[in-house]
RNA sequence: GCUGCUGUAGCUCAGUGGUAGAGCACUUCCUUGGUAAGGAAGAGGUCAUGGGUUCAAGUCCCAUCAGCAGCUCCA
């Protein structure tokens, strides 16, 4: 029985104590009743419905007669950082509006590392303007004005935004918020913004804030829509955390795989070869070979069969799979057996888009004749679809090829190439398959996003009963692979379809079955995973591994995808125990994702200093002087025969210089050899991390290195961690 | 693809409309050494490409190409 009256509310604190306050009291009052110091440090409050302003009257928060379960959030709570940052976005927007004329506000949400606010204004903001904006921000913070929340109905809100000349907000009230009866605003001094909140009690809580960058963006993410300016910033509860964050950014820059890749001769991309086409230089290729050999051996021992497929395939096959029409814009244009092919292709597309008239068609028919192509069945009066069919008939006979954009259709054809029995299932086909995708120029990024990439691809064909076991096995394989390269911090994102979108193919039943199977295995696995609607591939749900590297950045690496659709489209069948034809289920999986992206990520993760088993140069022999060069070469031969990646430094300098160069080249071990070693058949081993290890027989050095390689030991030169950096930006939704 | 910024020696970068620069790397010579830089000399440039303005363009303007950041996208 609650003792709360209409004028009082009961509050239950996390330790279980019950306190009673007047219903117009706020979380700040609750804190004040405990201690003044707590009241000063309260940022926001958490109740069962989510995070709310510490300044909200408790009476508004009570849903029924039950006590409010209230947790006071201070700077120590992770969720409080998002509240702070969103409030910082308001402060920044306020400063910008004070300094510039005609600022139209868009959205100002929290991001992983900070916050941004999108503005529409005529004047271009540049980084040179940051000091004056930051100065204005400091003034606002110094005034310690409170954030005040108020609620109005939609019509009133629309008028308020209109009066404030905030046309983007007006548009949003008319469209995005059309179903809301009332909306909330926050006022801070002269600054009023349509906002769901929550906010910090006053701007004085922002102890460290910095503008980071300015960039273009689009209103509601529509590239055809209005162009906005996006101002990025970050904020923290104290200056030390900001400093640590800025250091992390610097560290990330130092680890940039494009810089390290060039510096250490790992890979190159140049415009003469083509945008997004990666050249693996010898040292980078050695890393790749180590990864490939490792995975190939592992897959062979786990019941996979190696296969190979060509780099091009007929367009019709990709039409069957559904990829060709779906990804038309991000594929390289089809290759044609005849020059007229491209013309017919463009012709067909114009028919589809309705961008051709009778005159144009007649010209094209004439042009086709010039190429010797007669189209007697092409009737000008026919429907566009019928005309397309005529063109398509010609295209069927006169082959069109696509640079292979994915391996799945080929592997489906390999499944089909032989009669299949349930006894052969699961059939696991793997290939380091190189595929080509015409990614937009703006997407390209070193090795991380390229136009030609090699997937460590495999497709498992199995019965519905085997799905769960196979899915579990691929999850385990991925975990094993990640562990082997020293990546231990990861979670899984389960990507599901958006039931309201028409982007997805296949039956409702198949989708439910597939999604249920993935969820079930993940639940049993004990892995932490989150579900994302609308992130699935068009043919099936997927589980992606989100991996955190050693400086706290998150990467999407390995993927496992379930697919009931391609087997259907390719009419794949196996003969069951019942002697009936059955349709197999298909699992797509790639623990690395692509060799390019994975290697690029590893370069950044290890800052270019690969663990011994992946290292392109495991040991370098350093002769003390030319007098010891012959012995050095003999030692190198011994190391090479033992299977180690070894080089000799035959340059003329002093051994100190050779050591320095080897250290800078990130060679794992150095074998210093002089007259003393030559006499006794020894090497003076030096570790790049621990330094001089003393003299030992060459065989002992070999054994030591072989052991480290075999155990795939990961010894990082640089181990850094930045606790303060990342915030889960989904943890709080401050935008409508 | 869109917006903005950038493009000078192999690399990192200086360079005021008036003779193209530095450090590292490279080549040659000297030095022959014991755990993070020995010394000297030399070579290396269509200043991204194409136009334009100007007596004169690496420098100012335009276009193209490429890179970077962000947006959008990622089978």
């Amino acid at each position: 029985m609650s003792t709360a009256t209409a004028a009082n509310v009961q509050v239950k604190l996390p330790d279980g104590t019950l306190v009673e306050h007047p219903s117009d009291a706020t979380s700040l009052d609750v804190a004040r009743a405990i201690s003044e110091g707590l009241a000063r440090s309260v940022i926001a409050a958490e109740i069962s419905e989510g995070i709310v302003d510490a300044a909200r009257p408790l009476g508004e928060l009570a849903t029924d007669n039950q006590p409010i379960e209230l947790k006071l959030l201070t700077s120590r709570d992770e969720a409080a950082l998002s509240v702070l940052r969103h409030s910082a976005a308001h402060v920044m927007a306020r400063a910008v509006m004070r300094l510039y004329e005609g600022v139209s506000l868009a959205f100002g949400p929290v991001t992983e590392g900070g916050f941004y606010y999108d503005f529409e204004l005529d004047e271009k903001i540049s980084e040179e303007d940051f000091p004056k904006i930051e100065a204005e921000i400091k003034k606002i913070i110094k005034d310690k004005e409170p954030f005040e929340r108020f609620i109005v109905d939609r019509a009133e809100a629309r008028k308020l935004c209109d009066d404030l000349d905030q046309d983007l907000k007006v548009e949003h009230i008319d469209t995005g918020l059309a179903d809301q009866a009332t909306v909330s605003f926050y006022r801070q001094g002269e600054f009023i913004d349509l906002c769901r909140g929550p906010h910090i009690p006053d701007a004085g809580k922002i102890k460290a804030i910095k503008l980071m960058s300015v960039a273009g963006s689009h209103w509601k993410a529509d590239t055809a829509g209005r162009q906005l300016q996006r101002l990025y910033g970050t904020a923290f509860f104290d200056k030390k955390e900001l400093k640590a964050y800025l250091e992390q950014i610097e560290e990330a820059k130092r680890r940039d795989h494009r810089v390290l890749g060039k510096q250490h001769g790992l890979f190159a991309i140049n415009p003469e070869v083509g945008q997004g086409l990666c050249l693996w230089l010898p040292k980078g290729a050695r890393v790749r070979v180590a990864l490939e050999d490792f995975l190939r051996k592992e897959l062979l021992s786990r019941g996979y069969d190696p296969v190979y497929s060509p780099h091009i395939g007929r367009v019709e096959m990709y039409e069957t799979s559904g990829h060709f029409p779906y990804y038309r814009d991000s594929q390289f244009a089809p290759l044609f057996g005849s020059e007229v092919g491209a013309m017919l292709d463009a012709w067909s597309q114009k028919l589809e888009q309705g961008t051709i008239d009778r005159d144009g068609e007649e010209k094209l028919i004439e042009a086709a004749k010039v190429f010797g192509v007669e189209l007697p069945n092409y009737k000008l009066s026919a429907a566009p679809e019928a005309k397309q069919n005529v063109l398509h008939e010609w295209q069927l006979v006169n082959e069109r090829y696509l640079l292979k954009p994915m391996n799945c259709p080929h592997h489906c054809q390999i499944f089909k190439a032989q009669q299949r029995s349930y006894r052969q299932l699961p059939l696991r086909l793997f290939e380091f398959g190189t595929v080509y995708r015409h990614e937009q120029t703006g997407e390209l990024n070193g090795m991380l996003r390229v136009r030609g990439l090699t997937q460590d691809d495999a497709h498992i064909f199995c019965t519905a009963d085997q799905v769960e076991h196979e899915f579990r096995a691929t999850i385990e394989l991925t975990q094993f692979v990640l562990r082997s390269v020293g990546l231990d911090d990861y979670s899984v994102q389960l990507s599901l379809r958006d039931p309201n979108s028409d982007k997805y193919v296949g039956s409702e039943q198949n989708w439910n079955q597939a999604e249920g199977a993935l969820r079930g295995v993940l639940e049993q696995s004990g892995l932490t995973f989150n579900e994302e609607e609308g992130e699935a591939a068009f043919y099936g749900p997927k589980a992606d591994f989100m991996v955190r590297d050693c400086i706290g950045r998150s990467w999407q690496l390995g993927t496992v995808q379930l697919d009931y659709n391609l087997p259907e489209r390719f009419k794949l069948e196996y003969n069951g125990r019942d002697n009936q034809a059955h349709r197999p289920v298909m699992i797509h999986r790639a623990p690395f994702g692509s060799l390019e992206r994975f290697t690029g990520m590893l370069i950044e993760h290890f800052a270019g200093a690969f663990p011994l088993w992946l290292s392109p140069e495991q040991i370098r022999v350093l002769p003390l002087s030319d007098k010891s060069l012959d012995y050095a070469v003999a030692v190198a031969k011994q190391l090479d025969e033992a299977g180690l990646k070894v080089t000799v430094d035959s340059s003329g300098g002093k051994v100190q210089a050779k050591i320095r160069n080897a250290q800078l080249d990130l060679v794992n071990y150095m074998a210093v050899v002089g007259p003393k070693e030559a006499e006794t058949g020894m090497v003076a081993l030096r570790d790049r991390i621990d330094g001089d290890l003393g003299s030992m027989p060459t065989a002992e050095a070999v054994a030591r290195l072989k052991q480290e390689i075999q155990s795939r030991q990961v010894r990082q030169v640089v181990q850094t961690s930045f606790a303060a950096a990342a915030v889960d930006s989904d943890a709080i939704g401050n935008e409508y």
Side-chain angles (χ1 to χ4, degrees), chain A residues 115-133:
Chain A
F115 59 87
Y116 66 79
Y117 215 116
D118 282 345
F119 310 101
E120 188 178 60
L121 78 162
D122 296 335
E123 205 175 327
K124 280 266 175 278
I125 297 177
S126 81
E127 295 205 8
E128 283 150 32
D129 303 320
F130 285 8
K132 75 173 182 212
I133 299 172

Side-chain angles (χ1 to χ4, degrees), chain A residues 61-115:
Chain A
L61 306 176
T63 43
D64 46 36
N65 236 3
Q66 297 297 309
I68 304 165
E69 290 194 22
L70 185 79
K71 187 185 172 198
L72 297 166
L73 299 178
T74 69
S75 61
R76 283 199 291 270
D77 294 285
E78 205 180 292
L81 188 54
S82 294
V83 179
L84 178 87
R85 285 175 172 175
H86 180 55
S87 302
H90 275 229
V91 170
M92 179 176 76
R94 187 179 175 189
V96 168
M97 290 186 80
R98 281 184 182 179
L99 295 168
Y100 296 85
E101 288 294 318
V103 177
S104 213
L105 299 170
F107 296 117
V110 171
T111 64
E112 201 176 320
F115 59 87

Side-chain angles (χ1 to χ4, degrees), chain A residues 179-231:
Chain A
D179 57 343
Q180 304 279 320
T182 62
V183 293
S184 63
F185 282 80
Y186 280 80
R187 177 204 299 277
Q188 201 218 359
E190 83 284 358
F191 180 79
I192 298 172
D193 193 8
L194 171 73
C195 176
R196 196 166 57 184
H199 280 282
I200 55 179
D202 71 81
K205 304 286 184 212
I206 305 169
K207 300 298 185 194
I209 183 167
K210 186 170 166 49
L211 298 188
M212 301 301 289
S213 60
V214 60
S217 67
H218 297 94
W219 172 239
K220 296 199 170 177
D222 175 11
T223 44
R226 293 155 81 168
Q227 183 80 32
L228 307 172
Q229 296 190 62
R230 176 169 296 179
L231 206 46

Side-chain angles (χ1 to χ4, degrees), chain A residues 149-276:
Chain A
R149 181 175 194 269
F150 61 94
I151 293 185
V152 295
D153 66 40
R154 240 163 50 76
E156 217 175 315
R158 196 181 187 288
K159 182 171 184 310
L160 176 58
C161 290
D162 203 32
D163 291 346
L164 292 166
D165 282 330
Q166 292 301 322
D167 56 327
L168 293 171
K169 298 282 183 186
V170 170
E171 189 195 317
H172 187 52
I173 291 170
D174 288 344
T175 57
L177 300 178
D179 57 343
Q180 304 279 320
T182 62
V183 293
S184 63
F185 282 80
Y186 280 80
R187 177 204 299 277
Q188 201 218 359
E190 83 284 358
F191 180 79
I192 298 172
D193 193 8
L194 171 73
C195 176
R196 196 166 57 184
H199 280 282
I200 55 179
D202 71 81
K205 304 286 184 212
I206 305 169
K207 300 298 185 194
I209 183 167
K210 186 170 166 49
L211 298 188
M212 301 301 289
S213 60
V214 60
S217 67
H218 297 94
W219 172 239
K220 296 199 170 177
D222 175 11
T223 44
R226 293 155 81 168
Q227 183 80 32
L228 307 172
Q229 296 190 62
R230 176 169 296 179
L231 206 46
Y232 283 88
T234 192
F236 290 91
F237 287 109
D238 77 69
K239 292 193 166 61
K240 262 190 276 177
E241 287 172 3
L242 172 63
K243 195 168 164 243
Y245 175 69
L246 296 176
E247 275 168 16
Q248 189 207 7
I249 291 174
E250 284 307 307
E251 181 64 29
K253 273 189 202 158
R254 278 193 288 276
R255 287 163 178 261
D256 189 319
H257 76 286
R258 293 165 300 193
V259 176
L260 294 174
K262 186 181 268 187
Q263 196 179 330
H264 295 294
L266 299 169
F267 74 98
I269 293 175
N270 82 56
E272 266 185 85
V273 177
Q275 274 186 298

Side-chain angles (χ1 to χ4, degrees), chain A residues 263-305:
Chain A
Q263 196 179 330
H264 295 294
L266 299 169
F267 74 98
I269 293 175
N270 82 56
E272 266 185 85
V273 177
Q275 274 186 298
L277 299 174
C278 183
L279 298 169
W280 292 76
L281 305 182
K283 283 177 81 175
R286 284 200 192 103
V287 177
R288 172 169 166 172
V289 166
L291 287 169
E292 285 182 357
D293 286 353
F294 159 69
L295 188 61
R296 184 181 290 110
K297 187 163 163 264
E298 202 52 44
L299 291 178
L300 289 173
S301 78
R302 289 175 189 244
Y304 283 77
D305 290 313

